[in-house]
């Protein structure tokens, strides 16, 4: 503005008029949605997954393991888009074998094109890269392309780094150079993959206009074939299919249509898909959350009478990985014997002690769980014990394993992860791993829920070791209060705890934990300069759907950062999950009728010598505290950190 003011004060009248004309042109161009979009528009919300023409699910969410996300909108009819397919195949081949992990996709988003038509086009033109079918136009709504072809490059942080043409081969419609002289898309991808700024962030695409709403179908209701089947396949069928933990399948039109209103109910309430953290209060790998547009599609489809639609729009049948999802593990361990789950009654929490035969200490990148009976296995946690306590508990219990609720019944020497339905095993990044000492036992805690008939289970764990990379040890530190006290009848009893980091750390995960009285958990980090950052907020705690949350981007926190945990409990008669009737005072404990206040943080340090002092400091800070906490006043929100 200073420069513009200077020009207005000093330029001659004729130059002022020229400047005004330029400003007017710029304003009109900005208003058309073209100029400066890459610089001024907010980051696109790509918080969803799409199926390609082969029926494979691809997540578009920000992923630190992916250095760049490349999306090129094409069409089946545009001759310029079709003419670019060989060049796009070459660019895809170049990045497919590169060390930098780059997601490279074509996109068809025209409402006039069927999925079968898109698949036919991909085969006819020999498209090598995955071709996403944007059935309901959600990706187009997020990125707002105007032409085909038009390319978009998104960096690992989810920021739009480039949009526009592929290169300058076509200066205009009907005009084609002998060869391109500017390789805008390839240059942008190379810059983003290398962590450099893109020199030219936006160019004008040349091609065919992307017509999003055909005039002949202005108010077409969503159909199962085009809109609903892809959503179910991407978000639900992993569990809702034969032999899995969900109570019924959702893999056909008949499956979905007979439950259309039920699907609306459980999705609108966010009960399904099971993902508890609040949006935009921390970001995590493998988030399972439907967008507002996806919720509307389910609602509008049910309201329209659940129309089936055109079979040409159906995605291919889903293909699920059988066996180990990450390949053959380095070590496979299994429950020694089967466990019989009763036909009815309370859910069962059982701990199985599995000796691990190792000749030396190892770092575990990830532990992959294979439930022996998916109909009754709700979730599993993988604790470690090198003290022999778990073996004694097992020997004292007559059945396979031993019973405990909320934890393994002892202070574990470590953990190597957990599993919940629909989850994908997530290796720790950059060569980081959890320590597995030789002589340790794996204590596999399995949560079973009765199915209505007696079932048997014998589950297996596959362990993958760290073989290269930084080989940094990831350890858990905690914020907890063993002096927890919740008075009888308290409907919103608030408890808080904090821990200040004595050294620099890199945080990779956060895991809140409460029992059946838990209602809400919020975790924040306050940096030494006073800046507060959100980590996780679960406003509707459900013990049956607890998970382990890996940060989408590992976060370095300096020494002096304070971690705060705020929790709310409902120990009143109004809590239908209250295990005590009538309500009674509740304190810390392992049993169903007890409660816990604890949050685990998975961290590592640059200097291995800082790990042990960190763990010792954390243990001393959070050691046994047997004081009784009296009730705090009921609040509408968790208390603010002091």
């Amino acid at each position: 503005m200073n420069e513009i003011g200077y020009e207005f004060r000093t330029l001659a009248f004729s130059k002022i008029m020229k400047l005004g004309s330029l400003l007017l042109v710029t304003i009109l161009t900005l208003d058309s949605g073209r100029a400066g979009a890459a610089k001024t528009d907010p980051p696109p919300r790509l918080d969803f997954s799409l199926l390609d023409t082969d029926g494979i699910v691809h997540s578009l969410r920000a992923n630190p393991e992916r250095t760049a996300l490349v999306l090129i909108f094409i069409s089946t009819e545009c001759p310029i888009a079709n003419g670019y397919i060989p060049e796009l195949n070459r660019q895809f081949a170049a990045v497919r074998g590169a060390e930098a992990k780059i997601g490279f996709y074509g996109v068809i988003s025209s409402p006039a094109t069927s999925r079968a038509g898109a698949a036919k086009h991909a085969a006819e033109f020999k498209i090598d890269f995955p071709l996403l079918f944007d059935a309901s136009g959600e990706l187009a709504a997020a990125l707002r392309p105007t032409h085909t072809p038009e390319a978009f490059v998104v960096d690992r942080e989810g920021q739009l780094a480039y949009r526009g043409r592929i290169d300058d081969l076509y200066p205009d419609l009907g005009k084609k150079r002998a060869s391109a002289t500017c390789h805008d898309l390839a240059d942008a991808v190379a810059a983003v993959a290398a962590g450099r700024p893109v020199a030219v962030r936006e160019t004008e695409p040349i091609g065919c206009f992307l017509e999003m709403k055909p005039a002949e179908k202005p108010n077409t209701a969503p159909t199962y074939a085009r809109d609903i089947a892809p959503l179910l396949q991407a978000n639900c069928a992993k569990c809702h299919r034969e032999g899995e933990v969900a109570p019924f399948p959702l893999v056909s039109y008949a499956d979905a249509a007979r439950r259309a209103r039920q699907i609306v109910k459980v999705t609108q309430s966010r009960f399904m898909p099971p993902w508890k953290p609040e949006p935009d209060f921390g970001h995590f790998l493998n988030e399972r959350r439907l967008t507002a547009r996806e919720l509307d599609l389910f609602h509008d489809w049910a309201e329209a009478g659940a129309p089936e639609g055109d079979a040409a729009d159906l995605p291919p049948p889903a293909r699920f990985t059988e066996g180990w999802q990450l390949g053959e593990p380095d070590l496979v361990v299994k429950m020694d014997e089967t466990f019989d789950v009763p036909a009815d009654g309370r859910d069962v929490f059982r701990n199985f002690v599995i000796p691990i035969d190792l000749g030396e200490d190892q770092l575990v990148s990830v532990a992959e769980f294979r439930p022996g009976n998916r109909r009754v296995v709700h979730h599993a946690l993988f604790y470690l014990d090198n003290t022999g306590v778990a073996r004694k508990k097992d020997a004292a219990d007559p059945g396979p394993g031993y019973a405990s609720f909320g934890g393994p019944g002892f202070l574990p020497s470590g953990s190597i992860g957990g599993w919940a339905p629909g989850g994908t095993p997530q290796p720790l990044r950059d060569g980081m791993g959890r320590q597995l000492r030789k002589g340790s036992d794996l204590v596999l805690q399995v949560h079973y829920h009765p199915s209505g008939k007696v079932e048997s289970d014998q589950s297996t764990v596959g362990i993958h070791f760290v073989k290269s990379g930084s080989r940094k040890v990831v350890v858990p530190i905690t914020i907890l209060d063993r002096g927890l006290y919740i008075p009888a009848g308290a409907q919103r009893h608030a408890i808080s705890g904090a821990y200040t980091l004595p050294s620099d750390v890199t945080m990779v995960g956060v895991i809140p934990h409460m029992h059946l009285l838990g209602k809400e958990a919020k975790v924040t980090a306050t940096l030494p300069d006073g800046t507060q950052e959100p980590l996780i907020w679960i406003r509707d705690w459900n013990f049956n759907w607890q998970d382990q949350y890996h940060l989408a981007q590992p976060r370095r926190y300096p020494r002096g950062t304070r971690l705060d945990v705020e929790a709310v409990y409902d120990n009143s008669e109004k809590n239908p999950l209250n295990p005590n009737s009538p309500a009674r005072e509740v304190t810390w404990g392992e049993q169903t009728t007890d409660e816990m206040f604890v949050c685990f943080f998975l961290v590592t340090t640059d200097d291995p010598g800082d790990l042990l002092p960190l763990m010792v400091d954390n243990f001393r800070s959070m050691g046994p505290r047997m004081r009784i906490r009296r009730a705090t006043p009921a609040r509408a929100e968790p208390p603010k950190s002091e």
Side-chain angles (χ1 to χ4, degrees), residues 244-513:
E244 285 292 339
V245 68
F248 50 80
L250 287 173
V251 296
S252 70
Y253 171 69
D255 293 338
R258 65 189 294 189
R259 302 177 176 94
R261 288 187 299 170
Q262 185 68 23
I263 291 172
V264 173
K265 172 70 173 178
V266 299
T267 54
Q268 293 282 349
S269 68
R270 299 286 186 181
F271 178 63
M272 287 286 152
W275 182 256
K276 303 307 292 182
E278 289 292 298
D280 298 323
F281 200 95
H283 296 281
F284 308 96
L285 294 176
N286 303 319
E287 292 187 358
R288 302 184 297 272
R289 184 184 294 112
L290 296 175
T291 66
R293 181 177 173 86
E294 290 170 332
L295 295 176
D296 288 344
L297 286 171
F298 280 124
H299 173 270
D300 294 346
W301 176 65
E303 287 294 305
E308 185 171 7
D310 188 345
D313 282 329
L314 278 171
R319 294 178 292 176
F320 297 98
T321 302
E322 300 298 333
W324 299 110
Q325 297 188 53
L326 300 179
E328 191 63 27
D330 299 302
L331 177 66
V332 177
V333 295
K334 190 174 185 178
M335 291 164 48
D336 289 341
E337 53 185 317
T338 60
F339 177 73
D340 291 334
V341 182
D344 60 0
R346 284 180 175 270
D347 284 11
V348 177
F349 292 82
R350 201 74 180 174
N351 299 274
F352 305 96
V353 182
I354 306 174
I356 299 178
D357 185 17
L358 286 179
E360 59 181 356
D361 295 351
Q362 292 279 5
L363 283 183
V364 175
S365 171
V366 64
E368 183 176 341
F369 181 71
R370 291 180 66 179
N373 187 336
R374 294 177 181 271
R375 288 186 297 274
V376 292
V377 176
H378 188 283
H379 74 262
L381 298 172
F382 318 143
Y383 298 104
L384 298 174
D385 178 32
N386 60 7
T387 66
V389 173
R391 293 191 185 193
K392 293 178 182 178
K393 287 182 171 289
D394 192 5
D397 193 300
Y402 65 92
S404 74
F405 173 86
F410 65 95
L411 182 64
S413 57
S415 168
I416 55 173
W419 173 87
T424 301
Q426 181 61 51
L428 290 169
R429 290 156 282 187
D430 187 32
M432 292 186 286
R434 307 193 202 197
Q435 193 164 47
L436 175 56
R437 295 184 177 89
K438 65 178 182 180
S440 295
D441 292 331
L442 173 66
V443 182
L444 176 63
Q445 185 184 76
V446 185
H447 172 185
Y448 296 106
H449 58 116
S451 69
K453 65 185 181 73
V454 176
E455 304 264 14
S456 296
D457 172 62
Q458 190 173 13
S459 293
T460 308
V461 179
I463 301 173
H464 296 261
F465 298 135
V466 175
K467 301 179 181 65
S468 61
S470 67
R471 298 191 63 82
K472 290 181 181 178
V473 177
V474 171
V475 300
I477 59 174
T478 61
I479 293 176
L480 55 82
D481 188 354
R482 293 188 180 90
L484 163 149
Y485 169 84
I486 307 173
Q491 191 170 349
R492 285 191 63 84
H493 182 78
I495 297 178
S496 63
Y499 176 64
T500 300
L501 296 172
S503 59
D504 298 349
V505 307
T506 295
M507 186 179 299
V508 298
V510 55
I511 310 166
H513 179 73

Side-chain angles (χ1 to χ4, degrees), residues 64 283 429 432 501 504-509 525-529 531-535 550-558 561 563 602-604:
H283 296 281
R429 290 156 282 187
M432 292 186 286
L501 296 172
D504 298 349
V505 307
T506 295
M507 186 179 299
V508 298
T526 303
L527 278 64
D529 65 2
T531 303
Q532 188 178 84
E533 294 185 357
L535 279 173
H550 286 220
L551 304 186
Q553 178 67 52
R555 176 68 168 94
R556 294 175 64 89
Y557 286 112
T561 298
L563 305 176
L602 302 179
V603 301
T604 187

Side-chain angles (χ1 to χ4, degrees), residues 62-69 154-159 192-193 552-553:
N63 183 347
E65 294 295 296
R66 185 179 60 210
T67 57
L69 174 64
V154 180
D155 65 21
R156 70 170 68 204
E157 306 294 338
Q159 300 289 329
V192 171
Q553 178 67 52

Side-chain angles (χ1 to χ4, degrees), residues 32-338:
S32 70
R34 297 303 310 147
K39 298 178 182 178
T40 61
D41 285 359
R45 293 299 301 263
L46 306 182
D47 194 23
F48 50 88
S49 299
L50 288 180
L51 273 62
D52 65 21
T53 51
D54 291 327
I56 299 172
V57 180
H58 300 272
S59 174
L60 303 183
R61 295 177 174 89
N63 183 347
E65 294 295 296
R66 185 179 60 210
T67 57
L69 174 64
V70 183
L71 300 160
I72 307 103
F73 286 80
I74 64 174
S75 73
T76 60
E77 297 179 348
C78 181
I80 294 180
N82 291 338
Y84 266 113
I85 287 175
E87 169 61 19
L88 293 175
N89 279 341
R90 286 189 288 270
Q91 293 197 26
F92 174 63
V95 302
R96 181 167 50 180
E99 290 186 7
K101 296 181 179 178
I102 298 171
F104 192 103
Y105 303 100
V107 183
I108 286 187
S109 194
S110 170
T113 303
S114 69
R115 190 182 294 269
K120 179 182 177 182
H121 186 73
E124 181 180 352
F125 280 81
K126 296 181 171 55
I127 296 178
D128 294 335
F129 45 89
L131 183 57
L132 304 180
F133 190 71
D134 187 24
S136 301
E138 183 156 22
L139 184 53
L143 293 175
R144 295 179 292 119
T146 58
H147 291 73
T148 60
E150 186 169 357
F152 295 80
V153 181
V154 180
D155 65 21
R156 70 170 68 204
E157 306 294 338
Q159 300 289 329
L160 184 60
Y162 173 78
R163 67 176 295 168
R165 67 190 183 187
I166 296 167
D167 55 35
D168 68 345
L169 186 63
Y170 291 87
D172 203 346
L173 292 178
K175 299 179 181 179
K176 182 179 180 182
R177 291 187 172 95
S179 61
T181 60
C182 295
H183 304 278
D184 308 274
L185 175 59
D187 291 345
V189 172
V192 171
R196 303 191 310 267
V198 177
V200 179
R201 298 185 60 185
E202 182 173 0
T203 57
E204 187 72 23
I206 303 298
C208 308
F209 279 106
L210 181 56
E211 311 285 355
M212 292 306 299
K213 293 185 178 180
E216 67 272 13
K217 295 182 180 180
N219 296 306
T220 303
T223 68
Y224 171 80
R226 187 176 184 93
D227 304 285
I228 302 303
L231 292 183
L232 295 175
Q233 197 158 306
N235 299 282
C236 309
K238 199 169 190 178
C239 297
H240 284 270
R241 58 190 174 98
E242 191 65 32
E244 285 292 339
V245 68
F248 50 80
L250 287 173
V251 296
S252 70
Y253 171 69
D255 293 338
R258 65 189 294 189
R259 302 177 176 94
R261 288 187 299 170
Q262 185 68 23
I263 291 172
V264 173
K265 172 70 173 178
V266 299
T267 54
Q268 293 282 349
S269 68
R270 299 286 186 181
F271 178 63
M272 287 286 152
W275 182 256
K276 303 307 292 182
E278 289 292 298
D280 298 323
F281 200 95
H283 296 281
F284 308 96
L285 294 176
N286 303 319
E287 292 187 358
R288 302 184 297 272
R289 184 184 294 112
L290 296 175
T291 66
R293 181 177 173 86
E294 290 170 332
L295 295 176
D296 288 344
L297 286 171
F298 280 124
H299 173 270
D300 294 346
W301 176 65
E303 287 294 305
E308 185 171 7
D310 188 345
D313 282 329
L314 278 171
R319 294 178 292 176
F320 297 98
T321 302
E322 300 298 333
W324 299 110
Q325 297 188 53
L326 300 179
E328 191 63 27
D330 299 302
L331 177 66
V332 177
V333 295
K334 190 174 185 178
M335 291 164 48
D336 289 341
E337 53 185 317
T338 60

